[in-house]
Amino acid sequence: MEKYDHIVVGSGIAGLTYALKAAETGSVAIVTKRGRATTNTAWAQGGIACVTSPEDSFELHAKDTLDAGAGLCHEDIVEMVVRDGPGRIRELIALGMSFDLRETPEGTTELDLGREGGHSKRRILHAHDFTGLEIENTLLAAVEKHGSIRVFEDHMAVDLITTGKLGYATEDRVVGLYVLDEKSGTVNTLRSDRIVLATGGCGKVYLYTTNPDIASGDGVAMAWRAGAAVSNMEFVQFHPTCLFHPEAKSFLISEAVRGEGGVLVNSSGQPFMDRYHPLKSLAPRDIVARAIDAEMKRTGAKCVFLDITGKPRGFLEERFPKIHETCARLGIDIAAQPIPVVPAAHYQCGGVKTNEHGETSLRGLFAIGEAACTGLHGANRLASNSLLEALVFAHNAFVKATRNQRAPGEIRIPEWRPGSVTDVDELVVIYHNWDEIRRLMWDYVGIVRTDKRLQRAAARLRNLQKEVQEFYWNFKVTTDLLELRNLVTVAALIVDCALSRKESRGLHYTLDYPQTDERLLHDTVMRRV
Ligand code: SIN
């Protein structure tokens, strides 16, 4: 059994930032289930929202965040994140991150700030349209340079080990982690009193998503099984513009395209967003996604279109090289024709409930990044606030984790017992269940919900949970099986949270309760009983 001062699960912006800071104070292990750069962060196109311009202010950034959040943002958290943001961005730049610059009329350079839906000012720092990849590479280079951070690639966290599960009569806390080494198939025990979940979101719970395949809600599911509180899972953000093309899997057309003048039009080429919101194509995401859904249902079309042909080709090639090139490869010339798009699951606004330090309700367990529900996003995340949140909370969690953490004393952890395992020879069942969850979530728990559909989803998920649990006990664990187990857990949490919110607010829209109800102005908090 190896022991570390800190174990970080996940190697995106939140996990790497925490790990780099923590490595200055003690030993750190990063556990990541594929290669170290296979993260949600690496897919982020838009950028980081942060106040850096004299024309902007913390008050405006806070107001935009609160307006998007539909009453559920925690104002103290919003205030803290927008104010601490510039300091955290400076640290990232000091590590080598370079954001796009532009020339001023005076011949100097300044940050080239982008605009996205719901922002009253240009405030998105970006690196062309592959900001996340640049950040990921910068942080990984710093980890490499540091030299002493142990990175376990192709290792998937199975479950948290807590004193409660081990039968200690002391206060429940985390003391370690069981980890599957995918290559050898063995499950190892890692010991630590500080475990940080930075596992990203759960987009793969839906049939259509902008997320990579790894986004199976692992952190939320593990924290839930360990007894930590989970919050606001009903608020799943659907990005309005995922590329609609049979050969394009999960490819996002960044909101920054609308920020630069892209207009949503229907299949007859008619702009339609003016019928839904005064900000038209740049309305907050929940409104745009619902409008597209309504438009597609109204016209029977399979997609709508994003028209950015008003911009010169040179500008599009320079500002959106990845989008331009990916579309061109699929035969879509974005300078000459509108881009076919559909909404797709994009971001989990809920997660493991934390305080301002990223601490969960389970001692020693932290959650940061998309895996966490910190109170910043409320019922609807403002675009490009998430990378900022990840930086701010990685720092806060590091500060807290390295101060005042009472160690639990000597703990005896049993090795993982595989039991009477056999290899999964019925892989088809895993894939079938995986597909079934994703399809039923898309059909019954999507952009527009009803109680009836949610109840149907809940009933089916309960059966699937039983089946998956049986598999888990009877067969040798594999990454596929563990992901399926997490996926079904998170799907059930989304449905349970959605069923408990008898109103429409932010991203949760139900035909049965189409209005907001001011008596329900509080987070949904779930605990395992
Ligand atoms: C985008 O580029 O549209 C995504 C930005 C975000 O989700 O914050």
Side-chain angles (χ1 to χ4, degrees):
M1 180 169 66
E2 293 180 31
K3 186 166 181 195
Y4 294 90
D5 294 313
H6 307 260
I7 295 175
V8 179
V9 190
S11 55
I13 182 172
L16 295 178
T17 302
Y18 179 96
L20 281 165
K21 288 174 183 255
E24 297 304 318
T25 69
S27 57
V28 179
I30 297 176
V31 174
T32 189
K33 67 180 177 179
R34 306 272 196 280
R36 63 189 70 192
T38 308
T39 63
N40 287 342
T41 298
W43 280 39
Q45 293 184 0
I48 304 192
C50 186
V51 175
T52 57
S53 143
E55 275 138 52
D56 198 359
S57 70
F58 294 135
E59 289 69 25
L60 282 176
H61 188 183
K63 182 178 181 310
D64 293 343
T65 303
L66 293 167
D67 285 351
L72 286 194
C73 299
H74 298 197
E75 283 195 43
D76 54 338
I77 297 292
V78 173
E79 180 85 1
M80 183 266 288
V81 172
V82 301
R83 283 183 186 276
D84 289 0
R88 302 285 85 84
I89 296 280
R90 281 194 292 276
E91 290 173 356
L92 190 60
I93 291 172
L95 285 176
M97 174 66 197
S98 48
F99 292 104
D100 288 358
L101 301 173
R102 66 180 192 107
E103 253 183 51
T104 65
E106 296 77 42
T108 57
T109 52
E110 63 181 14
L111 284 164
D112 178 32
L113 299 175
R115 187 162 178 209
E116 290 177 6
H119 288 275
S120 55
K121 294 283 175 192
R122 282 189 171 265
R123 63 167 74 97
I124 318 296
L125 284 73
H126 60 91
H128 301 281
D129 57 356
F130 42 79
T131 313
L133 187 62
E134 291 291 286
I135 293 173
E136 184 72 26
N137 288 338
T138 302
L139 292 169
L140 282 175
V143 166
E144 192 80 15
K145 198 161 148 211
H146 193 282
S148 73
I149 299 171
R150 176 82 197 266
V151 185
F152 289 92
E153 294 183 295
D154 300 310
H155 279 67
M156 173 148 184
V158 178
D159 260 324
L160 293 159
I161 306 168
T162 61
T163 46
K165 279 193 199 160
L166 294 176
Y168 285 84
T170 52
E171 180 197 23
D172 200 15
R173 58 159 302 127
V174 289
V175 289
L177 189 67
Y178 288 119
V179 178
L180 169 69
D181 173 349
E182 202 186 359
K183 294 221 163 103
S184 69
T186 53
V187 176
N188 303 315
T189 310
L190 299 184
R191 167 87 178 86
S192 182
D193 298 326
R194 303 178 190 91
I195 298 186
V196 180
L197 298 175
T199 47
C202 66
K204 290 305 279 191
V205 94
Y206 284 95
L207 190 57
Y208 302 111
T209 176
T210 63
N211 292 183
D213 287 346
I214 50 163
S216 50
D218 304 332
V220 170
M222 270 193 295
W224 171 255
R225 286 194 293 272
V230 168
S231 199
N232 289 1
M233 290 298 289
E234 67 272 39
F235 300 116
V236 177
Q237 187 167 69
F238 290 81
H239 197 292
T241 57
C242 184
L243 180 61
F244 180 72
H245 189 281
E247 282 160 46
K249 189 180 161 216
S250 306
F251 186 73
L252 180 71
I253 305 296
S254 175
E255 192 153 313
V257 174
R258 278 174 284 137
E260 296 300 343
V263 176
L264 285 162
V265 298
N266 60 23
S267 43
S268 326
Q270 294 304 312
F272 56 86
M273 276 308 299
D274 48 347
R275 281 189 272 116
Y276 295 91
H277 197 275
L279 286 172
K280 303 180 192 168
S281 294
L282 268 186
R285 251 178 220 181
D286 55 332
I287 291 159
V288 183
R290 269 201 301 281
I292 294 176
D293 187 64
E295 202 65 18
M296 282 164 54
K297 283 184 177 136
R298 191 180 68 79
T299 60
K302 284 196 163 64
C303 65
V304 295
F305 296 85
L306 181 56
D307 189 347
I308 185 75
T309 56
K311 285 281 179 190
R313 182 179 298 280
F315 170 83
L316 295 175
E317 282 169 356
E318 166 62 21
R319 177 65 181 85
F320 301 113
K322 191 165 172 208
I323 294 173
H324 182 271
E325 185 211 299
T326 306
C327 289
R329 217 175 340 107
L330 297 168
I332 303 161
D333 176 0
I334 69 169
Q337 66 193 105
I339 311 165
V341 290
V342 284
H346 181 61
Y347 192 86
Q348 159 197 306
C349 292
V352 189
K353 187 172 172 53
T354 76
N355 64 13
E356 70 274 28
H357 310 295
E359 282 179 301
T360 71
S361 62
L362 184 60
R363 189 163 295 280
L365 182 67
F366 293 79
I368 53 178
E370 190 173 350
C373 181
T374 64
L376 177 70
H377 307 310
N380 180 28
R381 177 183 66 108
L382 183 66
S384 286
N385 263 355
S386 39
L387 295 178
L388 187 70
E389 181 195 44
L391 287 177
V392 169
F393 275 87
H395 175 81
N396 293 5
F398 151 73
V399 171
K400 186 70 182 179
T402 43
R403 269 192 216 149
N404 307 329
Q405 289 289 313
R406 241 177 337 115
E410 199 47 44
I411 296 284
R412 278 171 44 81
I413 302 181
E415 290 295 304
W416 173 264
R417 273 192 300 169
S420 57
V421 293
T422 36
D423 281 316
V424 177
D425 56 356
E426 289 196 63
L427 267 183
V428 65
V429 181
I430 294 193
Y431 298 131
H432 175 90
N433 285 356
W434 178 280
D435 288 345
E436 185 173 349
I437 294 166
R438 300 184 65 205
R439 157 97 29 216
L440 83 86
M441 289 297 286
W442 185 259
D443 288 343
Y444 296 160
V445 198
I447 297 172
V448 176
R449 301 164 177 178
T450 66
D451 268 358
K452 203 166 159 194
R453 282 185 235 152
L454 290 175
Q455 274 150 6
R456 201 163 279 167
R460 188 64 200 118
L461 285 169
R462 270 194 295 277
N463 285 338
L464 282 164
Q465 266 181 310
K466 269 192 224 137
E467 232 170 73
V468 172
Q469 199 54 21
E470 232 167 77
F471 258 72
Y472 177 72
W473 290 122
N474 293 332
F475 293 96
K476 189 168 179 172
V477 291
T478 61
T479 303
D480 283 345
L481 177 54
L482 294 175
E483 284 185 338
L484 177 66
R485 177 175 173 240
N486 292 338
L487 207 72
V488 73
T489 304
V490 171
L493 281 166
I494 294 172
V495 173
D496 289 348
C497 287
L499 272 169
S500 75
R501 188 168 286 283
K502 304 291 186 202
E503 63 161 350
S504 290
R505 181 183 297 279
L507 298 162
H508 174 68
Y509 183 78
T510 159
L511 294 174
D512 293 319
Y513 312 95
Q515 307 301 329
T516 44
D517 180 342
E518 290 317 293
R519 292 167 303 175
L520 299 178
L521 202 55
H522 52 73
D523 290 333
T524 309
V525 181
M526 296 277 173
R527 266 174 198 280
R528 194 174 185 193
V529 278

